[in-house]
Amino acid sequence: MTNFEEYIADTDPTDPDSRFVILSVTNAAGMRIEVPSSAARLYRFLYTDDPVEEEWTPLGEEIPGEEPTTAFTDPDPVDSRIYRVEVRLPDPEP
């Protein structure tokens, strides 16, 4: 990741163990996706059922991060579903 991407993800570019990855995907009453997170960031969980077309659909609304991890559950998972997570800075307050 670039330093800018590390900044957006709120990870430490000097620490190889500080990285933004999907930590776990578990199937219990839906598919639960967990990522390391920061209370100073917003997260959007997305999925696609067609990796060739790569049309990503949000799994609900953007959610604020919690420390040390944030998770979202897909209530209607499909076996071929692929997940990804976007992270961003919150909009500045007026």
Side-chain angles (χ1 to χ4, degrees):
M1 291 176 63
T2 67
N3 284 342
F4 180 72
E5 290 168 329
E6 294 261 10
Y7 169 73
I8 295 298
D10 204 14
T11 56
D12 181 354
T14 65
D15 180 357
D17 292 328
S18 175
R19 57 187 185 270
F20 187 70
V21 296
I22 292 179
L23 296 172
S24 66
V25 178
T26 53
N27 193 357
M31 198 64 70
R32 183 176 186 273
I33 304 106
E34 183 177 17
V35 296
S37 65
S38 165
R41 300 295 185 265
L42 297 171
Y43 298 84
R44 175 171 284 153
F45 292 79
L46 304 107
Y47 74 89
T48 184
D49 292 326
D50 185 352
V52 175
E53 293 297 321
E54 289 195 35
E55 292 183 26
W56 296 94
T57 304
L59 281 168
E61 299 296 318
E62 226 173 25
I63 58 174
E66 298 177 6
E67 293 186 21
T69 65
T70 293
F72 194 90
T73 300
D74 179 355
D76 189 27
V78 175
D79 287 342
S80 62
R81 189 159 281 177
I82 298 169
Y83 298 98
R84 88 180 204 189
V85 184
E86 295 176 345
V87 58
R88 74 174 186 89
L89 294 166
D91 294 331
E93 293 186 27

